[in-house]
Amino acid sequence: MKSSPHRPSIELLFKRGLGSAEIARRLQISSSTVRNVVAAIKKRGDASEVKKSGRPRSVNTRNTRAIIKKRIIRNDGLSLNRMASQLGIARSTVQSIVKNDLKLKSYKLRRGQYLSDKSKAMRLEKCRKLLQHFQVRRVSDVIWTDEKIFTIEPLPNRQNQRQLLSKDDSMSPKRRLAHNRLFPKSVMVWAGITATGKTPLVFIERNVKINSEVYQKIVLMDNLLPWVTQHFAGGPFILQQDWAPSHGSRSTLAVLEAHFPGFLDKNLWPASSPDLNPMDFSVWGMLEGKIAGKVFATVDDLNAALEVAWASIDDGYLRRTVNSVKKRLRACVKARGSNFEILL
């Protein structure tokens, strides 16, 4: 209750035998104020204000703000809950200081490939070479390729997978369990895109090891070469691939030289660079989004859904995605080979 300046007058009139309504009328104050003071008199014998215990009503002081600011400078990933516990103040107070006084906002950490100093230097050198290369050759002629594993079960999103229940039902069998099998069935998918088209999806069963022989026969000769022959009709093209052991063996290099001349070799394509390959930085994510949240009974069902999703990707998206590669190369150079997403 807020302290009233009329406490002494209320006490005097009450002890003279006046009722609450009469006191309120004489002092021209609210009846509720009189009743609160009278209740205090009856409880303690007088109307004196009780001194409150505990911390001050406001702990948002200059000193508190300075302490919080200093701690954030030392560690900008510090939990607000932990900081509040250490300082002995409410989390809401810490949150208010951080947001309103320090003008800070919480952001999710950006995801990116770990890069050593050696990797950054290598990326910088090769991105410069690629920019020079694409002054002569067209980035739209590149076939960007990659492999990815898909499983028949999506990983649960614990933030968004929710269920509306009463408090009583929250601990009952009605509460569903979000679960995944320990080793769900999966398939390796190889694919490639250009600015003007998509290769077929190539499905490789989980128990098949992708060695040089498998890569050359199933991927390069049985699928990519017929597609290239039809799509480019004798025109120029450039094959991009990562340099996994099966992609860079002597026998694979011989196949590449014979059927895919002008491929981006190890002197041009930087390792540890998924942020430069459209398949990695865009296409796989789009494909995952199109089948997100679905559980498939069999790998064949998963493959069929992927085929439908793949077919729905249009040429406009492919063109925009491929055309963004040169912008990414320039950003990588500007970042001196480091992660560059923030510059885009």
Side-chain angles (χ1 to χ4, degrees):
M1 180 181 66
K2 186 176 180 181
S3 177
S4 171
H6 299 288
R7 278 177 176 270
S9 301
I10 294 171
E11 181 178 8
L12 179 62
L13 294 174
F14 176 73
K15 288 183 177 180
R16 288 180 179 175
L18 274 68
S20 297
E22 179 62 20
I23 295 173
R25 187 185 65 79
R26 288 194 182 190
L27 298 179
Q28 294 185 342
I29 57 177
S30 69
S31 298
S32 60
T33 299
V34 176
R35 287 195 298 270
N36 288 335
V37 174
V38 168
I41 295 171
K42 291 179 178 179
K43 184 177 181 180
R44 298 191 301 271
D46 61 61
S48 59
E49 193 171 5
V50 178
K51 185 177 181 181
K52 294 181 180 180
S53 60
R55 66 173 185 265
R57 181 173 294 274
S58 174
V59 291
N60 187 352
T61 64
R62 180 182 298 177
N63 184 53
T64 303
R65 293 193 293 271
I67 292 172
I68 291 175
K69 182 178 181 180
K70 186 175 181 180
R71 293 192 178 196
I72 292 174
I73 290 173
R74 283 203 308 262
N75 178 11
D76 58 14
L78 189 62
S79 161
L80 297 189
N81 286 331
R82 184 176 179 183
M83 201 182 321
S85 176
Q86 291 172 345
L87 296 175
I89 60 178
R91 185 192 186 279
S92 58
T93 300
V94 175
Q95 187 175 23
S96 176
I97 291 173
V98 168
K99 179 181 178 180
N100 301 322
D101 297 295
L102 302 182
K103 307 298 182 185
L104 300 177
K105 184 179 178 181
S106 177
Y107 292 94
K108 291 181 179 179
L109 295 182
R110 293 182 295 115
R111 295 184 179 275
Q113 183 86 3
Y114 169 75
L115 297 168
S116 64
D117 290 341
K118 183 178 179 180
S119 296
K120 293 175 186 177
M122 176 272 297
R123 273 164 53 95
L124 175 59
E125 176 188 353
K126 292 185 178 180
C127 283
R128 284 172 170 166
K129 287 183 178 180
L130 283 168
L131 285 170
Q132 293 176 352
H133 186 73
F134 289 132
Q135 287 179 351
V136 179
R137 302 294 303 272
R138 297 188 306 177
V139 71
S140 58
D141 289 336
V142 179
I143 309 167
W144 306 93
T145 69
D146 196 35
E147 305 94 14
K148 182 175 176 60
I149 293 175
F150 288 85
T151 65
I152 63 173
E153 294 181 355
L155 290 174
N157 184 331
R158 299 187 186 279
Q159 182 64 24
N160 294 332
Q161 284 189 317
R162 295 175 177 271
Q163 187 181 8
L164 295 174
L165 296 170
S166 68
K167 186 176 180 180
D168 291 339
D169 286 336
S170 66
M171 299 302 291
S172 76
K174 290 184 179 180
R175 187 162 181 178
R176 295 195 298 270
L177 179 68
H179 67 277
N180 279 70
R181 295 185 180 92
L182 186 59
F183 299 107
K185 292 180 180 179
S186 62
V187 63
M188 173 74 78
V189 182
W190 177 94
I193 66 165
T194 71
T196 56
K198 310 181 294 285
T199 70
L201 292 181
V202 179
F203 300 105
I204 302 171
E205 294 182 7
R206 181 174 179 173
N207 60 349
V208 175
K209 182 179 179 181
I210 306 180
N211 54 26
S212 297
E213 182 180 354
V214 170
Y215 181 66
Q216 292 164 29
K217 182 179 187 310
I218 296 179
V219 174
L220 297 180
M221 301 305 295
D222 291 352
N223 284 280
L224 182 56
L225 186 58
W227 182 83
V228 163
T229 303
Q230 180 181 17
H231 186 77
F232 289 98
F237 65 88
I238 306 166
L239 174 62
Q240 177 277 333
Q241 59 171 13
D242 64 31
W243 289 101
S246 61
H247 299 183
S249 66
R250 288 184 180 180
S251 59
T252 298
L253 288 176
V255 172
L256 294 176
E257 292 286 0
H259 300 285
F260 305 94
F263 60 91
L264 298 180
D265 61 23
K266 292 182 179 180
N267 293 322
L268 276 176
W269 186 253
S272 303
S273 298
D275 49 0
L276 297 174
N277 184 348
M279 292 298 300
D280 270 308
F281 69 72
S282 184
V283 177
W284 288 135
M286 170 175 273
L287 206 58
E288 283 182 317
K290 288 179 178 290
I291 63 168
K294 299 177 182 177
V295 178
F296 302 97
T298 66
V299 171
D300 287 341
D301 292 339
L302 170 62
N303 293 352
L306 287 169
E307 290 278 18
V308 172
W310 186 245
S312 71
I313 297 177
D314 63 83
D315 288 349
Y317 163 78
L318 296 177
R319 183 173 58 256
R320 292 190 301 273
T321 304
V322 169
N323 287 344
S324 71
V325 170
K326 291 176 76 171
K327 180 179 180 181
R328 286 175 170 265
L329 290 171
R330 288 190 290 268
C332 189
V333 171
K334 187 174 181 179
R336 308 294 296 175
S338 187
N339 299 108
F340 57 79
E341 297 278 354
I342 197 171
L343 300 177
L344 297 176

